[in-house]
Each structure stands twice: as C-alpha cells, then as structure tokens.
Amino acid sequence: MTTGSPRASDAYAALRYPEFRAYIAASTIHNIALLVQEVVIAYELYRITRDPLALGLTGLAAAIPFISLSLFGGHVADRLSKRTIILWTVVLVTFATAGLCVCVNAAEAHRLSSDALIAMFYLVIFFIGVCRAFRAPAVSALRAFLVPPSLYENATKWSTSSWQVASVVGPSLSGFSYLVVGLSGTLLFVVVLLAISWYFFSRIGDKPVPPEPNESSIISSVMEGVRFAHRTKIIFYSISLDMLSVLFGGVVAILPIYAEDILHVGAGGLGILRAASSAGAIVTVIALARFSVIKHPWRNLLIATSGFGVWILVFAVSPWMMLSVLALFMSGAFDSISVVIRQTILQLMTPDNMRGRVMAVSGIFISSSNELGAFESGFAARLMGTVPSAVFGAVTTLAIVAWVFSKSKELLKVQPTTASH
C-alpha cells in the first residue's frame, strides 16, 4: 500500500496502490488475449460454416460450464487463496490455447479435417468457460482487497476502463493479426499475452481469507450467497436488468455477419465494429473519472440502459459503416455507465467473507446475458434474419427497462451503503 490516503476525488486514487496497478495490467492483458482469440475463432467459424447458428453455439459452449460451476467457484474463492486460483486458471487456459494452435497447424497442413477443427474450437471454448467459472469470482472479489472502501467507485471505473481498453485493443489486434500471420500465428500471440498476464497477477501478494462466521456445507454456503444477492433488492434488480437487456439487445455474436454480408467490410471491419462500443465506454469512463454516478444509482442505471437500447436499434437498421460504428460507440458509452454503477453497488454492499459467492451470482447473470445472449442472437438471426433479429432485440430491451422500472420505483430513493468489512 502507498503511504498516505489518496482522496476519492483524485481521478488516479486507486492507481496509487501498486498491487492495484498490477491487477489492472494483468486483467487488461488477459482480456486482450481472450478477446483476440474469441474474435478470430468466431470469424474462422463463420468463414468455414457460413452459419449464424455456429456463432451462437460459441456462446452456448462458454455459458454451459460457466453457469454450471460458477456458484461453486464463488464458494472456492471465499474459502481458498484468490491469487492461487487465478494463477492456476491462467496456466490452464494458456495450455489449452497452445493445444488449439497445434490443431490449427494440423488443419492447415491437411492432417486435421474442418469438422474436427470446428469440434476443437468448441472444446477449447468449453474448457475456457470451466476455468472462468473459478477465475472470475476470484478476480472480482480480489479487487476489494487492493484498495480501501472509499475508493471502490474509483477502482471500479479503472477496472471498467481496463476491460474496455482490452475490448478496443483485442478486436483491433485480432483483425490485423489474422490478416498478417493467420489463425495459428494469432493463437501463438495469444499464448504470449496470457503468459505476460500470469506474470502481473503473480506480482499481487496473497491475501488473508476472511473467516466464515458459521461453518456450513458447500450447498448451504453457495445458497447463502444467492440469498444475499436476492434479498438485497438493488443488487438483484441491477444484475437482472443487465442480464435481460444484454441478453436480448447484445449484437456482438452477429457482428461477423454484419461485417461480411451487410456492411461488406471483412475481417478488418469486424475488428473496428468490435472495438467501437468499447471505445465509447473508454471515453465515457474517462469523462466521468472525477464525478460520481452513484448519487442517484437506480435512476442513472435506468437511463443508461435505455440509451443502450436506443443505439442498438440504430445499429440494427444502419446500412452504413460510419453510422454503425457511431451507434456501437454510443451503446458502449451508455453501457459503461451501467457497469460502473452495478459493480460499485456490488463492491460497497457485499461483506468480505461473501464476495466470491455474490460475485459468482453476478457473474452468472452477466454470463447469461453475454454467452446465452450470443446463442440467442445466432438462433434469432437464423430464424428471423439478421436485421429483424437485431431490431427485435433492441425493442425488447427498451420494453424490459419500462417493465423493470414499473416494478422497482422504490429503488429511486435507495443510496448504497458500505457493508461491514
């Protein structure tokens, strides 16, 4: 820890803690690596199959293990060393990616069929989902131990920014790398990035495991986290709103179709489309660095989610690349506000000894929106057509915001308070 106490109004307050800087560096590089891998696998799958459902199935392959194991992963994160969990899962993902690189080389040399390669893509995605079920709760819970509670909102903004930087850099690098060194060379690059992220995670010291007030079985322990998230209404409604809006409104999974068949911009254009929403998020988080967005958290969350839905609707019907990029940029700007609010609420209102389990519950909701949303997008695109399915998703998102608002008006007066630590 640094000497002195950085003020919450200091935009760089959380970054003045060395371990938090290591955390941000590790998380950013790790997320860049996984996003590069995700984009090139999705592009290669669509190039081979020309089937939107093949893209949707990547979300399902990632979601099934994550949702199935995440609550147990949260229990483990509350009982064991979070640092150790993170380091081992990064190692396992690195070896899985290296194995996939070998398979791609075999396919390029015609020693492995296209069908077998596709199967390997899904197998590796599934395995990464297993690792993420343990890594994600540990990473989310660890952040609260690196800065004091007064800096949780500031730390959340930097953490959100790091994810968005990765979301810009990762897809951009993926398109460039795919064009220059091909799929196998790109996967080798991912292996190097994962190794670097492991180094930065290793620079964070081990943290004490908070004692559990009452010893209980694994099932009871897991359900305690579920019950806490459910009875704390602002947590429950915020993660539910995020899940439902992105589940229907998310368009990431079908961006390869827009790039290839609607906007006709190819792999390079796909990288720009993938990066646009994150660029909007980065600009927004930087602009908000000195201002709090949790003074009226529920009102701000509803406005941000509505803005996300409106701009996704614009993207859905846009036939022009520039307008599509602008729409995704603005959707990311509004989404970043909702992320900061939701994550700050979680950090403030969750006790130390329950962080892994509550973060796991939140992670399941987020995974449901992202990975299952990817499956929903691919399935709907195949059923309705790409543009009609995206329009349907955006309109559904706006309807969900109106419905949630009607059920949660009392939360407009709620102000998050710090849990006992």
Side-chain angles (χ1 to χ4, degrees), residues 14 17 41 45 87-88 108 118 120 131 144 182 185 192 199 223 238 249 293-294 303 346 359 394:
Y17 291 78
I41 287 177
L45 272 172
L87 293 178
W88 271 107
E108 291 174 348
I118 290 171
M120 288 304 302
C131 293
V192 173
Y199 167 76
M223 290 309 299
S238 65
V293 293
I294 62 167
I303 293 172
L346 283 167
M359 294 303 171

Side-chain angles (χ1 to χ4, degrees), residues 311-387:
W311 282 104
I312 289 297
L313 182 59
V314 173
F315 170 79
V317 299
S318 168
W320 304 297
M321 179 64 174
M322 290 301 295
L323 179 58
S324 298
V325 170
L326 174 63
L328 290 174
F329 180 94
M330 293 302 299
S331 73
F334 281 102
D335 186 53
S336 68
I337 297 172
S338 68
V339 170
V340 169
I341 295 170
R342 186 182 70 253
Q343 289 295 326
T344 303
I345 288 171
L346 283 167
Q347 295 289 338
L348 282 173
M349 302 191 72
T350 305
D352 284 342
N353 67 308
M354 295 184 65
R355 291 192 180 279
R357 284 164 288 176
V358 175
M359 294 303 171
V361 173
S362 173
I364 288 176
F365 277 65
I366 294 170
S367 182
S368 296
S369 64
N370 291 333
E371 279 77 17
L372 291 183
F375 175 72
E376 182 274 335
S377 296
F379 180 76
R382 191 180 193 187
L383 188 66
M384 305 179 188
T386 302
V387 173

Side-chain angles (χ1 to χ4, degrees), residues 66-140:
F66 182 79
I67 292 174
S68 300
L69 296 172
S70 192
L71 290 176
F72 178 65
H75 165 81
V76 172
D78 282 336
R79 299 299 178 89
L80 302 177
S81 164
K82 297 168 183 60
R83 177 180 181 271
T84 300
I85 294 169
I86 294 167
L87 293 178
W88 271 107
T89 53
V90 173
V91 167
L92 292 172
V93 170
T94 303
F95 277 105
T97 303
L100 183 59
C101 185
V102 172
C103 293
V104 169
N105 282 323
E108 291 174 348
H110 305 291
R111 295 194 301 269
L112 193 69
S113 68
S114 294
D115 288 342
L117 180 60
I118 290 171
M120 288 304 302
F121 284 150
Y122 289 122
L123 181 62
V124 169
I125 292 169
F126 184 92
F127 181 73
I128 290 174
V130 172
C131 293
R132 192 162 69 92
F134 292 89
R135 174 187 169 274
V139 168
S140 297

Side-chain angles (χ1 to χ4, degrees), residues 20-35 86 135 139-140 142-143 146 158-159 162-163 166 196-198 200-201 204:
F20 184 74
R21 292 198 299 270
Y23 173 93
I24 290 295
S27 298
T28 304
I29 296 170
H30 186 84
N31 289 327
I32 288 173
L34 293 185
L35 285 166
I86 294 167
R135 174 187 169 274
V139 168
S140 297
L142 179 63
R143 186 169 75 233
L146 305 180
W158 282 108
S159 183
S162 79
W163 163 251
I196 295 172
S197 75
W198 184 94
F200 280 106
F201 275 125
I204 301 172

